[in-house]
Structure formats: C-alpha cells, structure tokens
Amino acid sequence: MKPSDHPDHSKGRPPMALFPRFRSRTVRSLTAAALALPLLAACGSSGDDGDTITFAAVPAESSSTLESTFENVTALLEEETGKKVEFQNASDYAAVIEGMRAGQIDAASFGPFAYVIAKDSGIDMEPAAAPTHDADKAPAYTSLAYVKKGSDIKGLKDLKGKNVCFVDKASTSGYLVPMKGIMDEGLDMEQDMKQILTGGHDASLLSLASGECDAAFAHDTMLKTLEESDQVKPGSLEPAWESEPITEDPIAVNNESLDPELAIQITTVLREKANIPAMVDAGVCSSADDCVLPEEIEYGYKPVDDSDFDSIRDICDATQADACKNVG
C-alpha cells in the first residue's frame, strides 16, 4: 500500500475490492520472470533451510530503502515465529510471482492485480493482510486522474484527443481501473487518446507536471509524496476524477513452500499483530512515532481474503485488457 501515499482511502465510502494501486505495480512477461529466477534462487528459500522465511516485496516507485521500511514487519515475524526472515527486494512482480511458484519465496507483498495473476495462475497462496491508515477502515486506496491546475479537463470524458500518462498496462490504479472508467464513458483507449506509459506512479505525475501529458493517472497518495519531497509544486496539480475504493496491496503466504502450521502462524501474526499499537506493546517498536511501516502506513495491517479481489477479476472480464490474459 502507500501509506505515505494513502491518506483516507475509503473517503467515508463503503470499501470495495476493485483493482490495483497498483498503489500500482508491474507484472512483466513470463520471459522476464524467468530471467529473474536465477537471482531469487541464489538467495535460497525456506525450502532449503527450515529456519528461514523468505519475504519479498516490490516498490511502488523507485526505492532504495524498501527493506528498511519492512524492517519492523520482518522483526515481528522473526520474534513470533523464531525463524530468520530473509528479505528480497524484487525488481518487479514477475520475479515475485515466479519465485512463489518455484517455492523460493514464502511470503510477499503484492499489488492487487499481481496477486490475482499469481493466485489465478495456480499458485497455492492466500492473502493474509493488507495495510490501512485507520484501524476502523478497510484496507483500500483509490486511482485518480490528475491534471494541471486550471485545466479544461474536468472528467474522463474530456480525455478525448488528449495525451494521457498511465503507469503500466499491468498496473491496477495506474491503468486497469482507469481503463474501466474510460470505457464506461464510451471512449476507446486506443483511438480516442494518446497513451504514454511512464513505468511508475511518480513518473506519471512528474510527466504531467513537465507538460509531457495533459492528464495522468496515479494512486491516491503519490501526489502528496511528490509535493512533500519538493518534486512537484504544491497545488500545481489537481484531481479530475477518482475511482471507487480498491482493496489494498496484500501480503500473501505461500502454502506450498511453508509448513502448514507455520503458514497459519504467519497469517495470524500479520492479521493480529502487524500494527503499530501491537508492535509498540510487543517492544518491536520503541514508540508509535518511531514505528516505521512500508509506505508510511499509519496504523498497520488488517485481514483480507481472496474474495476481496473479485472486483479485479470483474474488471478483467469487462475490459478484456491484455494484461488480464495471464489471469485464470
């Protein structure tokens, strides 16, 4: 998820499991995944060492500190299970998917769409939990179309004839959810606009700010992140459209590589103890202010299950997007 990115995901609305934020993430071709396997294999897995849990994650944008943001989560898992947790900072979701399939990864943080691709391709895995900023709200975020302040684009129907920045064709909030919204307005993604694929949520908004496109899609907390890091002038970009809530990025557990009892234990720990109050009580974090979680999550993780991602499957049925051909 994108805590630092995800302010109030639910916006007071009932949560819906739509597609990815894909907080937006990328699933490459199986060829790319195969190329990534040697790297993961070299790192080992619990299949090689029963005392080690291999945990993988993919950054939402370019990040050199991903491992440190998951440090408290992995420390919690080590304390609760008595196992060593080996963290893998994967380059893309294809590597994670194929690593799970090969039994080289025991648990991983996925984008919603990447999770569906992996699950529906036959991997015996289950989502354990997903992040939220509020203990009383379901794990969710949204996709937004941004424009420059004062733009004449007021909604998706106004994208006709425009240059539009997207993240990646396998990104939930950066492509698939917008695709469904655009189709619902009667527009054709290929014929009615020029698509510019930027490869990241940050790159999508930076391309908009530089004038490369007239509108850009990104997950709901990306603009805040860029404004706070002085990469985008505050107030220079504004939303023109927002999707319904999308179930947040799940951490999934690999039932094939893990002993059944350990898989259940990891799932329980993530659902019940991977939150700031519980980690402070357990001594994993010294204080709430110092309890860092991925993407600046303000509360922690809450339970999710496979049915929470059915709306992603529904989007694939409705759009017949190329990236969805790996689903099912």
Side-chain angles (χ1 to χ4, degrees), residues 3-15:
S4 51
D5 311 317
H6 300 340
D8 176 1
H9 294 310
S10 62
K11 311 291 182 186
R13 296 168 295 198

Side-chain angles (χ1 to χ4, degrees), residues 23 26 37 63 66 76 99 133 153 166 190 233 262 276 279 282 326:
R23 244 161 143 207
T26 303
L37 280 175
S63 173
L66 187 64
L76 175 68
H133 288 298
I153 297 173
F166 298 91
E190 304 298 330
K233 181 180 178 182
L262 181 56
I276 290 175
M279 286 192 286
N326 288 319

Side-chain angles (χ1 to χ4, degrees), residues 4 22 28 32 93 96 101 103 106 116 154 168 171 173 184 208 296:
S4 51
F22 193 98
R28 310 294 182 189
Y93 279 105
V96 177
R101 191 188 312 282
D106 301 313
V116 168
K154 305 301 181 185
D168 181 282
S171 167
S173 60
D184 287 347
L208 172 62
E296 300 171 19

